[in-house]
Amino acid sequence: MKRWLAVAAAAVALGVAVWVAPASASAAPYCGITWGSLAKQASGGSGGELTNVRAGQHACFDRLVLDVRGGRAGMYWVNYVPEVRTDGAGFLVPLRGGAKLQVVAAVADHDVNYRSTYRPANRAELVNVAGYRTFRQVAYAGSFEATTTVGLGVRARLPFRVFMLAGPGAGSRLVIDVAHRW
């Protein structure tokens, strides 16, 4: 009898717990990321010269960084596009991946005397992203009228964020983080 009462009490307690506990409408966001995948842009400081493009891997996202010397790349547009085209001429920039991010920054790839400040060895592969969870390819789409475009091939249309970091020195960095998943 005691065993039956214990089983019955446990069943009632379990039923009450299930009945009282609210149902979760959706799971928590991945790594707390709530960025979304819509276009991001900022207007503000501009100028400076692109000196480097680099990438890194983090626990929850892959990161692309554009290094700018002598100014603040405060004006940018980053959005998913059907295809990335070269600046000026409009030629298609082939990119691997299920989605394509176009990164446009109001910075030149040369100084005021038109000497190149950024000359990639391979325009189709600016950074080796082999083994990255989200990035598939980083390609240079060119610079025209002090505006530089980089194409970023990613695994799929995923949430991303864009922000500026000051330094080093008088320079700045344009940072694009793309989440590994939703």
Side-chain angles (χ1 to χ4, degrees):
M1 183 70 170
K2 286 183 183 182
R3 186 181 304 200
W4 184 86
L5 285 174
V7 169
V12 168
L14 179 61
V16 169
V18 169
W19 179 71
V20 173
S24 175
S26 65
Y30 172 69
C31 291
I33 292 172
T34 57
W35 305 331
S37 65
L38 297 178
K40 314 288 191 276
Q41 64 183 25
S43 57
S46 63
E49 302 138 7
L50 180 67
T51 59
N52 195 22
V53 176
R54 54 197 170 90
Q57 299 179 70
H58 295 264
C60 300
F61 55 86
D62 289 347
R63 172 170 284 178
L64 183 70
V65 178
L66 279 64
D67 292 323
V68 178
R69 176 179 65 207
R72 180 167 163 74
M75 197 150 50
Y76 60 79
W77 308 267
V78 181
N79 59 315
Y80 282 104
V81 295
E83 53 193 24
V84 174
R85 299 252 170 204
T86 60
D87 287 338
F91 297 121
L92 179 66
V93 177
L95 289 170
R96 293 184 300 276
K100 295 153 184 62
L101 268 173
Q102 178 173 278
V103 178
V104 180
V107 297
D109 67 351
H110 57 275
D111 64 17
V112 294
N113 296 314
Y114 296 98
R115 288 184 302 247
S116 181
T117 58
Y118 182 67
R119 188 176 309 171
N122 182 351
R123 295 169 69 96
E125 302 287 340
L126 298 183
V127 181
N128 180 2
V129 292
Y132 280 53
R133 289 184 59 190
T134 299
F135 291 175
R136 296 296 179 257
Q137 184 180 1
V138 183
Y140 192 61
S143 188
F144 184 72
E145 296 185 351
T147 302
T148 298
T149 302
V150 172
L152 177 58
V154 296
R155 181 174 49 78
R157 185 177 178 132
L158 294 163
F160 71 97
R161 68 178 174 179
V162 183
F163 58 95
M164 294 299 306
L165 291 174
S172 62
R173 292 161 285 163
L174 177 61
V175 179
I176 301 97
D177 292 335
V178 183
H180 292 156
R181 64 181 178 88
W182 282 93

PDB file of all heavy atoms in Angstrom, residues 25-60:
ATOM      1  N   ALA A  25       8.109  28.738 -25.983  1.00  0.00           N
ATOM      2  CA  ALA A  25       7.692  29.090 -27.343  1.00  0.00           C
ATOM      3  C   ALA A  25       8.827  28.875 -28.326  1.00  0.00           C
ATOM      4  O   ALA A  25       8.615  28.476 -29.456  1.00  0.00           O
ATOM      5  CB  ALA A  25       7.219  30.535 -27.398  1.00  0.00           C
ATOM      6  N   SER A  26      10.042  29.172 -27.913  1.00  0.00           N
ATOM      7  CA  SER A  26      11.199  28.957 -28.779  1.00  0.00           C
ATOM      8  C   SER A  26      12.429  28.784 -27.913  1.00  0.00           C
ATOM      9  O   SER A  26      12.468  29.204 -26.768  1.00  0.00           O
ATOM     10  CB  SER A  26      11.389  30.137 -29.732  1.00  0.00           C
ATOM     11  OG  SER A  26      11.698  31.296 -29.005  1.00  0.00           O
ATOM     12  N   ALA A  27      13.417  28.175 -28.480  1.00  0.00           N
ATOM     13  CA  ALA A  27      14.665  27.963 -27.758  1.00  0.00           C
ATOM     14  C   ALA A  27      15.404  29.292 -27.605  1.00  0.00           C
ATOM     15  O   ALA A  27      15.173  30.239 -28.345  1.00  0.00           O
ATOM     16  CB  ALA A  27      15.526  26.968 -28.516  1.00  0.00           C
ATOM     17  N   ALA A  28      16.312  29.329 -26.648  1.00  0.00           N
ATOM     18  CA  ALA A  28      17.130  30.528 -26.444  1.00  0.00           C
ATOM     19  C   ALA A  28      17.987  30.761 -27.681  1.00  0.00           C
ATOM     20  O   ALA A  28      18.365  29.828 -28.362  1.00  0.00           O
ATOM     21  CB  ALA A  28      18.008  30.352 -25.214  1.00  0.00           C
ATOM     22  N   PRO A  29      18.302  32.021 -27.985  1.00  0.00           N
ATOM     23  CA  PRO A  29      19.148  32.296 -29.151  1.00  0.00           C
ATOM     24  C   PRO A  29      20.524  31.661 -29.001  1.00  0.00           C
ATOM     25  O   PRO A  29      21.061  31.574 -27.904  1.00  0.00           O
ATOM     26  CB  PRO A  29      19.243  33.818 -29.211  1.00  0.00           C
ATOM     27  CG  PRO A  29      18.610  34.344 -27.992  1.00  0.00           C
ATOM     28  CD  PRO A  29      17.938  33.221 -27.271  1.00  0.00           C
ATOM     29  N   TYR A  30      21.085  31.243 -30.120  1.00  0.00           N
ATOM     30  CA  TYR A  30      22.400  30.620 -30.150  1.00  0.00           C
ATOM     31  C   TYR A  30      23.440  31.594 -29.591  1.00  0.00           C
ATOM     32  O   TYR A  30      23.587  32.703 -30.105  1.00  0.00           O
ATOM     33  CB  TYR A  30      22.737  30.237 -31.597  1.00  0.00           C
ATOM     34  CG  TYR A  30      24.128  29.750 -31.821  1.00  0.00           C
ATOM     35  CD1 TYR A  30      24.545  28.528 -31.310  1.00  0.00           C
ATOM     36  CD2 TYR A  30      25.035  30.497 -32.546  1.00  0.00           C
ATOM     37  CE1 TYR A  30      25.828  28.060 -31.523  1.00  0.00           C
ATOM     38  CE2 TYR A  30      26.329  30.036 -32.769  1.00  0.00           C
ATOM     39  CZ  TYR A  30      26.714  28.823 -32.250  1.00  0.00           C
ATOM     40  OH  TYR A  30      27.983  28.361 -32.456  1.00  0.00           O
ATOM     41  N   CYS A  31      24.121  31.200 -28.553  1.00  0.00           N
ATOM     42  CA  CYS A  31      25.162  32.020 -27.901  1.00  0.00           C
ATOM     43  C   CYS A  31      24.641  33.403 -27.503  1.00  0.00           C
ATOM     44  O   CYS A  31      25.421  34.346 -27.405  1.00  0.00           O
ATOM     45  CB  CYS A  31      26.379  32.173 -28.807  1.00  0.00           C
ATOM     46  SG  CYS A  31      27.319  30.670 -29.052  1.00  0.00           S
ATOM     47  N   GLY A  32      23.348  33.565 -27.363  1.00  0.00           N
ATOM     48  CA  GLY A  32      22.786  34.863 -27.024  1.00  0.00           C
ATOM     49  C   GLY A  32      22.743  35.839 -28.188  1.00  0.00           C
ATOM     50  O   GLY A  32      22.454  37.017 -28.018  1.00  0.00           O
ATOM     51  N   ILE A  33      23.033  35.361 -29.395  1.00  0.00           N
ATOM     52  CA  ILE A  33      23.093  36.220 -30.572  1.00  0.00           C
ATOM     53  C   ILE A  33      21.686  36.605 -31.022  1.00  0.00           C
ATOM     54  O   ILE A  33      20.846  35.750 -31.238  1.00  0.00           O
ATOM     55  CB  ILE A  33      23.857  35.522 -31.720  1.00  0.00           C
ATOM     56  CG1 ILE A  33      25.331  35.386 -31.330  1.00  0.00           C
ATOM     57  CG2 ILE A  33      23.696  36.251 -33.034  1.00  0.00           C
ATOM     58  CD1 ILE A  33      26.162  34.555 -32.294  1.00  0.00           C
ATOM     59  N   THR A  34      21.470  37.913 -31.171  1.00  0.00           N
ATOM     60  CA  THR A  34      20.179  38.434 -31.632  1.00  0.00           C
ATOM     61  C   THR A  34      20.380  39.428 -32.767  1.00  0.00           C
ATOM     62  O   THR A  34      19.618  40.373 -32.913  1.00  0.00           O
ATOM     63  CB  THR A  34      19.430  39.115 -30.466  1.00  0.00           C
ATOM     64  OG1 THR A  34      20.262  40.152 -29.937  1.00  0.00           O
ATOM     65  CG2 THR A  34      19.078  38.126 -29.367  1.00  0.00           C
ATOM     66  N   TRP A  35      21.406  39.226 -33.596  1.00  0.00           N
ATOM     67  CA  TRP A  35      21.809  40.212 -34.590  1.00  0.00           C
ATOM     68  C   TRP A  35      20.870  40.321 -35.775  1.00  0.00           C
ATOM     69  O   TRP A  35      20.688  41.389 -36.314  1.00  0.00           O
ATOM     70  CB  TRP A  35      23.199  39.907 -35.121  1.00  0.00           C
ATOM     71  CG  TRP A  35      24.261  39.774 -34.083  1.00  0.00           C
ATOM     72  CD1 TRP A  35      24.301  40.391 -32.861  1.00  0.00           C
ATOM     73  CD2 TRP A  35      25.431  38.969 -34.160  1.00  0.00           C
ATOM     74  NE1 TRP A  35      25.437  40.026 -32.190  1.00  0.00           N
ATOM     75  CE2 TRP A  35      26.150  39.154 -32.965  1.00  0.00           C
ATOM     76  CE3 TRP A  35      25.958  38.133 -35.126  1.00  0.00           C
ATOM     77  CZ2 TRP A  35      27.360  38.518 -32.714  1.00  0.00           C
ATOM     78  CZ3 TRP A  35      27.166  37.508 -34.871  1.00  0.00           C
ATOM     79  CH2 TRP A  35      27.854  37.698 -33.675  1.00  0.00           C
ATOM     80  N   GLY A  36      20.349  39.225 -36.265  1.00  0.00           N
ATOM     81  CA  GLY A  36      19.539  39.255 -37.478  1.00  0.00           C
ATOM     82  C   GLY A  36      20.395  39.254 -38.735  1.00  0.00           C
ATOM     83  O   GLY A  36      21.622  39.326 -38.676  1.00  0.00           O
ATOM     84  N   SER A  37      19.720  39.158 -39.893  1.00  0.00           N
ATOM     85  CA  SER A  37      20.460  39.065 -41.153  1.00  0.00           C
ATOM     86  C   SER A  37      20.123  40.188 -42.129  1.00  0.00           C
ATOM     87  O   SER A  37      20.459  40.102 -43.303  1.00  0.00           O
ATOM     88  CB  SER A  37      20.200  37.710 -41.815  1.00  0.00           C
ATOM     89  OG  SER A  37      18.845  37.606 -42.188  1.00  0.00           O
ATOM     90  N   LEU A  38      19.474  41.236 -41.644  1.00  0.00           N
ATOM     91  CA  LEU A  38      19.162  42.362 -42.515  1.00  0.00           C
ATOM     92  C   LEU A  38      20.381  43.267 -42.678  1.00  0.00           C
ATOM     93  O   LEU A  38      21.329  43.201 -41.899  1.00  0.00           O
ATOM     94  CB  LEU A  38      17.987  43.164 -41.949  1.00  0.00           C
ATOM     95  CG  LEU A  38      16.666  42.398 -41.852  1.00  0.00           C
ATOM     96  CD1 LEU A  38      15.585  43.272 -41.242  1.00  0.00           C
ATOM     97  CD2 LEU A  38      16.236  41.877 -43.215  1.00  0.00           C
ATOM     98  N   ALA A  39      20.336  44.115 -43.698  1.00  0.00           N
ATOM     99  CA  ALA A  39      21.451  45.013 -44.023  1.00  0.00           C
ATOM    100  C   ALA A  39      21.825  45.883 -42.825  1.00  0.00           C
ATOM    101  O   ALA A  39      20.960  46.297 -42.053  1.00  0.00           O
ATOM    102  CB  ALA A  39      21.079  45.890 -45.208  1.00  0.00           C
ATOM    103  N   LYS A  40      23.121  46.129 -42.689  1.00  0.00           N
ATOM    104  CA  LYS A  40      23.636  47.022 -41.650  1.00  0.00           C
ATOM    105  C   LYS A  40      24.418  48.122 -42.347  1.00  0.00           C
ATOM    106  O   LYS A  40      25.139  47.881 -43.304  1.00  0.00           O
ATOM    107  CB  LYS A  40      24.588  46.293 -40.704  1.00  0.00           C
ATOM    108  CG  LYS A  40      24.172  44.936 -40.174  1.00  0.00           C
ATOM    109  CD  LYS A  40      23.190  44.753 -39.245  1.00  0.00           C
ATOM    110  CE  LYS A  40      22.974  43.444 -38.570  1.00  0.00           C
ATOM    111  NZ  LYS A  40      22.190  42.470 -39.216  1.00  0.00           N
ATOM    112  N   GLN A  41      24.252  49.336 -41.861  1.00  0.00           N
ATOM    113  CA  GLN A  41      24.986  50.459 -42.440  1.00  0.00           C
ATOM    114  C   GLN A  41      25.203  51.526 -41.397  1.00  0.00           C
ATOM    115  O   GLN A  41      24.514  51.570 -40.385  1.00  0.00           O
ATOM    116  CB  GLN A  41      24.247  51.039 -43.640  1.00  0.00           C
ATOM    117  CG  GLN A  41      22.901  51.650 -43.305  1.00  0.00           C
ATOM    118  CD  GLN A  41      22.190  52.141 -44.554  1.00  0.00           C
ATOM    119  OE1 GLN A  41      22.430  51.655 -45.641  1.00  0.00           O
ATOM    120  NE2 GLN A  41      21.317  53.100 -44.390  1.00  0.00           N
ATOM    121  N   ALA A  42      26.186  52.357 -41.654  1.00  0.00           N
ATOM    122  CA  ALA A  42      26.471  53.487 -40.782  1.00  0.00           C
ATOM    123  C   ALA A  42      27.032  54.611 -41.623  1.00  0.00           C
ATOM    124  O   ALA A  42      27.719  54.381 -42.610  1.00  0.00           O
ATOM    125  CB  ALA A  42      27.467  53.097 -39.696  1.00  0.00           C
ATOM    126  N   SER A  43      26.684  55.805 -41.237  1.00  0.00           N
ATOM    127  CA  SER A  43      27.284  56.974 -41.873  1.00  0.00           C
ATOM    128  C   SER A  43      28.012  57.729 -40.776  1.00  0.00           C
ATOM    129  O   SER A  43      27.654  57.664 -39.616  1.00  0.00           O
ATOM    130  CB  SER A  43      26.215  57.844 -42.530  1.00  0.00           C
ATOM    131  OG  SER A  43      25.258  58.229 -41.574  1.00  0.00           O
ATOM    132  N   GLY A  44      29.038  58.389 -41.142  1.00  0.00           N
ATOM    133  CA  GLY A  44      29.846  59.078 -40.150  1.00  0.00           C
ATOM    134  C   GLY A  44      31.194  59.372 -40.755  1.00  0.00           C
ATOM    135  O   GLY A  44      31.298  59.684 -41.931  1.00  0.00           O
ATOM    136  N   GLY A  45      32.200  59.203 -39.949  1.00  0.00           N
ATOM    137  CA  GLY A  45      33.542  59.459 -40.433  1.00  0.00           C
ATOM    138  C   GLY A  45      33.890  58.601 -41.633  1.00  0.00           C
ATOM    139  O   GLY A  45      33.412  57.488 -41.778  1.00  0.00           O
ATOM    140  N   SER A  46      34.658  59.148 -42.505  1.00  0.00           N
ATOM    141  CA  SER A  46      35.132  58.377 -43.649  1.00  0.00           C
ATOM    142  C   SER A  46      36.554  58.797 -43.936  1.00  0.00           C
ATOM    143  O   SER A  46      37.081  59.716 -43.331  1.00  0.00           O
ATOM    144  CB  SER A  46      34.236  58.595 -44.869  1.00  0.00           C
ATOM    145  OG  SER A  46      34.273  59.936 -45.263  1.00  0.00           O
ATOM    146  N   GLY A  47      37.138  58.156 -44.866  1.00  0.00           N
ATOM    147  CA  GLY A  47      38.520  58.454 -45.202  1.00  0.00           C
ATOM    148  C   GLY A  47      39.421  57.359 -44.717  1.00  0.00           C
ATOM    149  O   GLY A  47      38.977  56.330 -44.229  1.00  0.00           O
ATOM    150  N   GLY A  48      40.668  57.578 -44.865  1.00  0.00           N
ATOM    151  CA  GLY A  48      41.620  56.564 -44.485  1.00  0.00           C
ATOM    152  C   GLY A  48      41.888  55.610 -45.634  1.00  0.00           C
ATOM    153  O   GLY A  48      41.291  55.710 -46.709  1.00  0.00           O
ATOM    154  N   GLU A  49      42.809  54.701 -45.372  1.00  0.00           N
ATOM    155  CA  GLU A  49      43.262  53.781 -46.410  1.00  0.00           C
ATOM    156  C   GLU A  49      43.221  52.358 -45.892  1.00  0.00           C
ATOM    157  O   GLU A  49      43.683  52.075 -44.794  1.00  0.00           O
ATOM    158  CB  GLU A  49      44.696  54.134 -46.802  1.00  0.00           C
ATOM    159  CG  GLU A  49      44.841  55.555 -47.287  1.00  0.00           C
ATOM    160  CD  GLU A  49      46.086  56.243 -46.745  1.00  0.00           C
ATOM    161  OE1 GLU A  49      46.921  55.589 -46.090  1.00  0.00           O
ATOM    162  OE2 GLU A  49      46.213  57.454 -46.972  1.00  0.00           O
ATOM    163  N   LEU A  50      42.688  51.474 -46.695  1.00  0.00           N
ATOM    164  CA  LEU A  50      42.675  50.058 -46.371  1.00  0.00           C
ATOM    165  C   LEU A  50      44.104  49.538 -46.411  1.00  0.00           C
ATOM    166  O   LEU A  50      44.834  49.775 -47.380  1.00  0.00           O
ATOM    167  CB  LEU A  50      41.816  49.296 -47.382  1.00  0.00           C
ATOM    168  CG  LEU A  50      41.705  47.794 -47.167  1.00  0.00           C
ATOM    169  CD1 LEU A  50      40.944  47.492 -45.879  1.00  0.00           C
ATOM    170  CD2 LEU A  50      41.015  47.151 -48.356  1.00  0.00           C
ATOM    171  N   THR A  51      44.522  48.845 -45.352  1.00  0.00           N
ATOM    172  CA  THR A  51      45.885  48.301 -45.317  1.00  0.00           C
ATOM    173  C   THR A  51      45.906  46.784 -45.213  1.00  0.00           C
ATOM    174  O   THR A  51      46.911  46.164 -45.561  1.00  0.00           O
ATOM    175  CB  THR A  51      46.688  48.880 -44.133  1.00  0.00           C
ATOM    176  OG1 THR A  51      46.004  48.564 -42.911  1.00  0.00           O
ATOM    177  CG2 THR A  51      46.852  50.384 -44.277  1.00  0.00           C
ATOM    178  N   ASN A  52      44.819  46.176 -44.741  1.00  0.00           N
ATOM    179  CA  ASN A  52      44.823  44.730 -44.579  1.00  0.00           C
ATOM    180  C   ASN A  52      43.404  44.207 -44.421  1.00  0.00           C
ATOM    181  O   ASN A  52      42.513  44.929 -43.971  1.00  0.00           O
ATOM    182  CB  ASN A  52      45.655  44.329 -43.352  1.00  0.00           C
ATOM    183  CG  ASN A  52      46.007  42.868 -43.331  1.00  0.00           C
ATOM    184  OD1 ASN A  52      46.012  42.201 -44.369  1.00  0.00           O
ATOM    185  ND2 ASN A  52      46.320  42.350 -42.154  1.00  0.00           N
ATOM    186  N   VAL A  53      43.210  42.949 -44.804  1.00  0.00           N
ATOM    187  CA  VAL A  53      41.963  42.226 -44.567  1.00  0.00           C
ATOM    188  C   VAL A  53      42.372  40.915 -43.910  1.00  0.00           C
ATOM    189  O   VAL A  53      43.251  40.214 -44.411  1.00  0.00           O
ATOM    190  CB  VAL A  53      41.195  41.958 -45.883  1.00  0.00           C
ATOM    191  CG1 VAL A  53      39.956  41.121 -45.619  1.00  0.00           C
ATOM    192  CG2 VAL A  53      40.830  43.272 -46.565  1.00  0.00           C
ATOM    193  N   ARG A  54      41.750  40.601 -42.781  1.00  0.00           N
ATOM    194  CA  ARG A  54      42.107  39.379 -42.059  1.00  0.00           C
ATOM    195  C   ARG A  54      40.861  38.757 -41.450  1.00  0.00           C
ATOM    196  O   ARG A  54      39.795  39.386 -41.425  1.00  0.00           O
ATOM    197  CB  ARG A  54      43.164  39.674 -40.991  1.00  0.00           C
ATOM    198  CG  ARG A  54      42.800  40.777 -40.038  1.00  0.00           C
ATOM    199  CD  ARG A  54      44.033  41.306 -39.283  1.00  0.00           C
ATOM    200  NE  ARG A  54      43.711  42.509 -38.550  1.00  0.00           N
ATOM    201  CZ  ARG A  54      43.263  42.532 -37.305  1.00  0.00           C
ATOM    202  NH1 ARG A  54      43.093  41.412 -36.633  1.00  0.00           N
ATOM    203  NH2 ARG A  54      42.985  43.679 -36.710  1.00  0.00           N
ATOM    204  N   ALA A  55      40.976  37.531 -41.000  1.00  0.00           N
ATOM    205  CA  ALA A  55      39.819  36.818 -40.448  1.00  0.00           C
ATOM    206  C   ALA A  55      40.246  36.005 -39.239  1.00  0.00           C
ATOM    207  O   ALA A  55      41.428  35.688 -39.070  1.00  0.00           O
ATOM    208  CB  ALA A  55      39.208  35.912 -41.506  1.00  0.00           C
ATOM    209  N   GLY A  56      39.265  35.679 -38.406  1.00  0.00           N
ATOM    210  CA  GLY A  56      39.514  34.863 -37.227  1.00  0.00           C
ATOM    211  C   GLY A  56      38.287  34.040 -36.882  1.00  0.00           C
ATOM    212  O   GLY A  56      37.181  34.327 -37.335  1.00  0.00           O
ATOM    213  N   GLN A  57      38.516  33.008 -36.082  1.00  0.00           N
ATOM    214  CA  GLN A  57      37.430  32.133 -35.647  1.00  0.00           C
ATOM    215  C   GLN A  57      37.189  32.315 -34.158  1.00  0.00           C
ATOM    216  O   GLN A  57      38.133  32.431 -33.389  1.00  0.00           O
ATOM    217  CB  GLN A  57      37.809  30.676 -35.911  1.00  0.00           C
ATOM    218  CG  GLN A  57      38.050  30.369 -37.371  1.00  0.00           C
ATOM    219  CD  GLN A  57      38.440  28.929 -37.578  1.00  0.00           C
ATOM    220  OE1 GLN A  57      37.614  28.037 -37.421  1.00  0.00           O
ATOM    221  NE2 GLN A  57      39.702  28.705 -37.900  1.00  0.00           N
ATOM    222  N   HIS A  58      35.921  32.347 -33.786  1.00  0.00           N
ATOM    223  CA  HIS A  58      35.521  32.453 -32.386  1.00  0.00           C
ATOM    224  C   HIS A  58      34.546  31.327 -32.080  1.00  0.00           C
ATOM    225  O   HIS A  58      34.080  30.641 -32.988  1.00  0.00           O
ATOM    226  CB  HIS A  58      34.889  33.819 -32.123  1.00  0.00           C
ATOM    227  CG  HIS A  58      35.860  34.950 -32.297  1.00  0.00           C
ATOM    228  ND1 HIS A  58      36.546  35.502 -31.250  1.00  0.00           N
ATOM    229  CD2 HIS A  58      36.289  35.598 -33.406  1.00  0.00           C
ATOM    230  CE1 HIS A  58      37.342  36.456 -31.692  1.00  0.00           C
ATOM    231  NE2 HIS A  58      37.215  36.531 -33.005  1.00  0.00           N
ATOM    232  N   ALA A  59      34.219  31.140 -30.835  1.00  0.00           N
ATOM    233  CA  ALA A  59      33.357  30.028 -30.437  1.00  0.00           C
ATOM    234  C   ALA A  59      31.981  30.081 -31.097  1.00  0.00           C
ATOM    235  O   ALA A  59      31.429  29.048 -31.466  1.00  0.00           O
ATOM    236  CB  ALA A  59      33.204  30.006 -28.914  1.00  0.00           C
ATOM    237  N   CYS A  60      31.422  31.276 -31.283  1.00  0.00           N
ATOM    238  CA  CYS A  60      30.057  31.409 -31.786  1.00  0.00           C
ATOM    239  C   CYS A  60      29.960  32.041 -33.163  1.00  0.00           C
ATOM    240  O   CYS A  60      28.877  32.083 -33.749  1.00  0.00           O
ATOM    241  CB  CYS A  60      29.231  32.234 -30.804  1.00  0.00           C
ATOM    242  SG  CYS A  60      29.137  31.489 -29.165  1.00  0.00           S
TER     243      CYS A  60
END
